[in-house]
Structure formats: structure tokens, C-alpha cells
Amino acid sequence: MLDIDRIVKDYGTYIYNFALKLSGNTKDAEDLAQETFIKAWKNIETLKNPKSIKKWLRTICLNEFRMKINKDNRMKIDYTENIDDLIEDGKHLMDVSPTLIDETFVNEEVSKIRDGCFLAMVRKLSINQRIAFSLVYMFGLPISEVAKLLQVTPKAVKGLLYRARMNLDSFFQGHCSILEADNPCKCSAWVNFVNQRADLQNKLKKTLDILDYRYKDYSFDEATSAKVLYYYQNMPEYEPSDEWFESIIVSIRDLYKISN
């Protein structure tokens, strides 16, 4: 018999990181993961095969994320895109091998700033671009599975990936000093600012509404794309606190009157 304590402890970190890559924000990820487990326990009897629980939880999390986006009037992001255009864009998706980058001299504070920046920029993609990019490149799901989740063709998913990569590449190529030393934005310069005044992600929210590489007439650059993919594909897994795990278990036990 499935037990809520065991489910949360076994899959809490996995679902939290899944939520973090979708939302790009630690607080949103905590809330999204908690709602996922609450919804999962409410519908636990519909789980036909306990061995598929990870995929089941993942689907619930994605659906909760999409519902939140639809309900949140503060997020002015257009997530509708022409399917025919996406299929055409999918023909241009390039397979590149991520470039190995020497991180020997990158301290922990700078790494956190960089990861926060990269997550924040994913939030600037259209919603379906964000979902496709996060699930394929950051979470490693196959294109075919993402196509089923989004209810589009694999070619349309490739189009979303193409647009997402072009958008991210075009932004970072002209800003990030990690990719090019002469670029103006340097992680180390953000450390004091973040520690003393505000969170980097909140700052980045104000820099632009949404990424669209077409406004810059950007063309594909394999070197840039390889470096950007490296960072997204090697983003570390984050471990939620013990208190977070316990709070979810307590909340579900109280909500559904579960005895110890």
C-alpha cells in the first residue's frame, strides 16, 4: 500500500527540481511541488500502476504549472504559437555537442548567481518554449514524451526547441561574460548586489518582457549554442530542506485527516 510519507521522501527532490526547471524560481518550485503532492494524494486511487508513479507525479506537476500560468494574471506571456510555423522551424533545429567548460576557478557564490540568471532567462521564453526546453534539455525527457504532454507533434516540439535555443543564445551571446570574456555582464559583479540589495531573478524580471531572437535578426552560432547547452544540461540538482519535506507531509495529513 502506498504511503504519503514514503512518496514525498522518495520523490520530493525529483519533483522539486522538475518544478524548479519549469518555474525558474525556488519559492514557486516549493509551492508547485507541494501542490503536486496534495493533488497526487487526492487522486492516489487513480494510479493504476505504482511502478509508474514518477511519471504520474511529473505529469501532475506539469499540469499544475500550466494551470497556475493560466490563472496568474501578472504573467503577461503569450504561450500560443502557430503550429505550422513551429513545424517549419523544427527543420532548422541543430544537434550540437555541449562544450566542456573549465569551472575550476568559479566559486560557489558565483555559481549560484549564474544558475539563478540562467533559470531567470528561461522564464523569458514563451510558455510552451519554456516547457519544451526545460523538459528536453534540462530534465532529459525524450521529444516524443514532451509532444504527448503538450499534445502537439514531435516536429512542433522541435520547433519550440529551435526558438527557445535561438532566443537564449541570442541573449547570452551579447551579454554573458561566461560565454565571451568581453561581454559586459559578469557574475562576480552581481555577488555584492545580490547579498546587499535584492535577488538577481527579481532584477532580471525587469530587464525585458520576453525573448524573441527575431527582433535582433540573430542567426545560429554553434559555439554559443554549445556553451549555453552545457550550462543548462549541467545545472545541479537542488536538495530541499528537511523542513520542506516535513511541511508537505504534515499539510497532507491534516488536509486528508490521515492518522499516523
Side-chain angles (χ1 to χ4, degrees), residues 3 19 29 33-34 36 39 52-53 67 85 115 127 137 146 148 150 152 167 169 186 202 224 226 238 256-257:
D3 175 77
Q34 178 169 309
T36 297
K39 178 66 69 69
S52 301
I53 189 169
M67 283 193 292
D85 289 345
D115 292 343
I127 195 63
Y137 290 124
V146 176
K148 290 180 181 177
L150 292 178
V152 297
N167 282 327
D169 293 357
K186 304 185 186 301
N202 290 329
T224 297
Y238 289 93
Y256 297 110
K257 311 300 182 186

Side-chain angles (χ1 to χ4, degrees), residues 14-31:
Y14 179 84
I15 292 300
Y16 170 78
N17 280 274
F18 186 76
L20 179 61
K21 289 174 172 61
L22 285 173
S23 66
N25 179 280
T26 53
K27 182 62 171 63
D28 289 345
E30 290 179 356
D31 294 343

Side-chain angles (χ1 to χ4, degrees), residues 6 9 18 38 58-59 61 79 99 118 140 160 186 196 233 253:
R6 189 76 269 154
K9 289 177 180 177
F18 186 76
I38 290 174
R58 195 167 64 211
T59 301
C61 185
Y79 59 89
T99 300
F118 275 64
L160 289 167
K186 304 185 186 301
Q196 296 173 12
Q233 292 181 343
R253 286 188 170 279

Side-chain angles (χ1 to χ4, degrees), residues 40-164:
W41 189 252
K42 180 181 179 180
N43 297 283
I44 194 66
E45 293 182 358
T46 67
L47 179 61
K48 297 178 180 179
N49 182 4
K51 293 182 179 180
S52 301
I53 189 169
K54 181 184 285 189
K55 184 176 181 180
W56 184 66
L57 289 169
R58 195 167 64 211
T59 301
I60 293 174
C61 185
L62 176 60
N63 289 336
E64 288 295 305
F65 170 71
R66 296 174 80 177
M67 283 193 292
K68 180 183 184 302
I69 292 296
N70 288 333
K71 292 178 180 178
D72 194 342
N73 293 325
R74 294 170 299 171
M75 299 191 68
K76 306 298 184 182
I77 298 179
D78 178 20
Y79 59 89
T80 59
E81 294 174 85
N82 185 286
I83 293 296
D84 291 336
D85 289 345
L86 290 178
I87 291 174
E88 183 63 29
D89 281 349
K91 297 177 181 178
H92 305 296
L93 183 66
M94 301 286 290
D95 290 326
V96 298
S97 298
T99 300
L100 295 178
I101 299 175
D102 185 1
E103 303 242 7
T104 305
F105 301 107
V106 178
N107 64 40
E108 185 176 354
E109 282 187 296
V110 169
S111 295
K112 288 181 179 179
I113 293 291
R114 181 200 64 211
D115 292 343
C117 174
F118 275 64
L119 283 172
M121 294 319 300
V122 172
R123 292 172 66 97
K124 300 301 181 181
L125 300 173
S126 75
I127 195 63
N128 280 342
Q129 287 177 31
R130 188 204 306 190
I131 291 172
F133 183 86
S134 299
L135 300 193
V136 174
Y137 290 124
M138 300 169 71
F139 222 76
L141 296 188
I143 288 175
S144 58
E145 183 172 339
V146 176
K148 290 180 181 177
L149 289 170
L150 292 178
Q151 296 182 320
V152 297
T153 66
K155 288 183 179 179
V157 172
K158 289 182 179 180
L160 289 167
L161 294 174
Y162 172 79
R163 291 188 178 191

Side-chain angles (χ1 to χ4, degrees), residues 189-202:
W190 284 96
V191 173
N192 289 335
F193 174 82
V194 172
N195 288 340
Q196 296 173 12
R197 296 183 59 189
D199 181 82
L200 175 61
Q201 290 184 332
N202 290 329

